[in-house]
Amino acid sequence: MNAAADVRAGAARSLDALRARLREGLAIPAHPLALTAARRLDERRQRALGRYYLDAGAGGLAVGVHTTQFAIRDVGLYEPVLRIAADTARQWPRSGPAPLLIAGVCGATDAAVREARVARELGYDAALLSVAALKGHDDGAIVEHCRAVGEVIPLVGFYLQPAVGGLELGVDFWRRFTALDSVVAIKVAPFNRYRTLDVVRGVVAAGAEDRVVLYTGNDDHIVLDLVTPFTAMRDGAPVTLRFRGGLLGHWSVWTKSAVALLERCKAAVAQQQAGGGVDAELLALDSRVTDCNAAFFDVAHAFHGCIAGCHEVLRRQGLLEGTWCLDPNEGLSPGQAAEIDRVLKQHADLADDAFVAANRDRWLG
């Protein structure tokens, strides 16, 4: 085997190992951005958030993504924020496998490739690739863009909901995208059952169900995504896929409970595969979790306060100092704080306030 073949074989083994880790089913919170009242990076609290997620049992961190605010690129914070998370993941003591690091990558092709190189140099395992900047391009051009980024770092596809800037992407796009060797997973987050099925159909059409791992980002149906089998047809025969874990903005809050919920869902899937059924109480949790998400993500105002809503939960727990976003026009919507009050009262058992209170000073130290 020549040197080039050795490199290709090593890359294939690395991709297979990454897919195997994702297939285990991980809770991966989308990392928020900690700011001071002057809207400058609060490095102390940024590190504290990463420590919180790691101690809560998260299997990875997603940084530079929508929840981190895409505008970090406009103010020179992309590399510093990714570096803080990577250093925290390496330095904070914990048992078990090292957390996966997933970097948000976006922009036109040249910019996205540059971000992918930064992420790779910082030790990130994969890029969560947003294609929102390619609005107006056809599927072929978008796939070629993805191919270029995938030559730098493994890819996690991202169906970002159109309400916050994502593109509508059809079955054929997902078929062509998942045919790329560099694709290891897809974060499915269109907040739409029909578009979720488009992803499933595209993966099945590409014959990629054994090498592309599905992760839910559908914060409005977290539990159902994790316990429901999804079936599409290929050549007249059914092919069934399952979501293995979650990469979610919703899981940037109450993360300890989110990890427990994922484990409960994985146990329910194992029970189904052994011939049993899904507990009705677990199914009922779907609507309760969605009710919380409606408040955190500000569904009443078309998601305007979705980032500030997560900040508000973390502020009340003492992990963030305020709800500030880089854009002064982003903040809590009228009535959103009252909705958060309501869900905190009605769904207090889904929170992890006691866990945070017991560890907050150590994380902030």
Side-chain angles (χ1 to χ4, degrees):
M1 185 178 291
N2 59 36
D6 282 340
V7 170
R8 288 194 298 271
R13 286 193 296 271
S14 178
L15 285 172
D16 287 343
L18 179 54
R19 291 182 176 111
R21 184 76 196 287
L22 288 162
R23 203 171 287 117
E24 292 173 9
L26 306 177
I28 304 177
H31 205 307
L33 180 68
L35 295 176
T36 67
R39 301 184 196 278
R40 299 184 184 278
L41 177 63
D42 186 333
E43 294 189 15
R44 172 171 166 258
R45 292 183 183 276
Q46 192 72 19
R47 291 190 187 93
L49 287 174
R51 294 167 177 174
Y52 160 46
Y53 298 138
L54 296 172
D55 278 1
L61 302 174
V63 191
V65 296
H66 175 254
T67 304
T68 324
Q69 301 176 53
F70 290 137
I72 58 173
R73 293 149 176 89
D74 303 328
V75 293
L77 287 180
Y78 182 76
E79 188 273 345
V81 168
L82 263 64
R83 183 180 296 278
I84 288 172
D87 289 346
T88 300
R90 281 190 290 267
Q91 297 167 5
W92 190 248
R94 65 177 250 159
S95 59
L100 289 185
L101 292 174
I102 298 179
V105 167
C106 64
T109 303
D110 288 349
V113 168
R114 283 196 300 271
E115 289 189 359
R117 288 174 178 153
V118 169
R120 183 188 64 191
E121 290 166 4
L122 290 173
Y124 278 71
D125 299 286
L128 180 67
L129 182 59
S130 168
V131 297
L134 278 74
K135 184 177 182 179
H137 292 68
D138 62 22
D139 286 354
I142 299 174
V143 170
E144 286 308 308
H145 165 86
C146 298
R147 188 190 307 278
V149 179
E151 290 175 356
V152 178
I153 194 169
L155 299 181
V156 177
F158 185 10
Y159 202 162
L160 175 65
Q161 61 164 321
V164 293
L167 304 183
E168 292 187 17
L169 300 165
V171 175
D172 193 57
F173 169 79
W174 293 110
R175 177 186 63 79
R176 297 169 70 175
F177 175 75
T178 53
L180 298 175
D181 291 339
S182 56
V183 176
V184 295
I186 302 171
K187 167 185 160 78
V188 185
F191 284 40
N192 183 299
R193 298 289 88 189
Y194 301 104
R195 292 177 183 143
T196 296
L197 291 174
D198 284 346
V199 178
V200 172
R201 289 173 57 206
V203 172
V204 170
E209 64 272 10
D210 291 331
R211 60 181 183 79
V212 175
V213 187
L214 297 183
Y215 266 55
T216 183
N218 283 321
D219 306 77
D220 59 341
H221 274 299
I222 294 170
V223 175
L224 289 185
D225 272 359
L226 291 171
V227 301
T228 304
F230 288 76
T231 298
M233 304 300 291
R234 185 174 63 222
D235 300 328
V239 179
T240 298
L241 289 72
R242 286 188 179 271
F243 285 78
R244 298 302 185 113
L247 195 168
L248 298 152
H250 184 97
W251 284 358
S252 69
V253 303
W254 297 356
T255 309
K256 180 73 169 176
S257 297
V259 170
L261 174 63
L262 175 59
E263 291 305 313
R264 187 173 173 185
C265 290
K266 288 160 66 174
V269 170
Q271 183 173 308
Q272 286 180 67
Q273 293 172 334
V278 180
D279 182 66
E281 183 184 351
L282 177 59
L283 292 175
L285 266 182
D286 186 71
S287 60
R288 294 184 64 207
V289 172
T290 301
D291 189 32
C292 295
N293 182 257
F296 301 160
F297 271 43
D298 192 27
V299 175
H301 299 91
F303 304 97
H304 173 79
C306 60
I307 293 174
C310 294
H311 288 183
E312 174 65 6
V313 179
L314 296 167
R315 185 196 67 79
R316 294 183 187 208
Q317 291 183 318
L319 287 166
L320 291 184
E321 187 180 2
T323 64
W324 307 293
C325 296
L326 288 170
D327 182 351
N329 294 316
E330 286 191 42
L332 294 175
S333 292
Q336 188 178 1
E339 272 296 283
I340 293 174
D341 288 338
R342 179 185 64 81
V343 299
L344 289 176
K345 181 178 181 180
Q346 294 181 353
H347 306 292
D349 58 310
L350 301 181
D352 64 356
D353 292 350
F355 170 71
V356 173
N359 293 280
R360 180 182 56 240
D361 290 346
R362 184 168 59 89
W363 299 328
L364 286 165

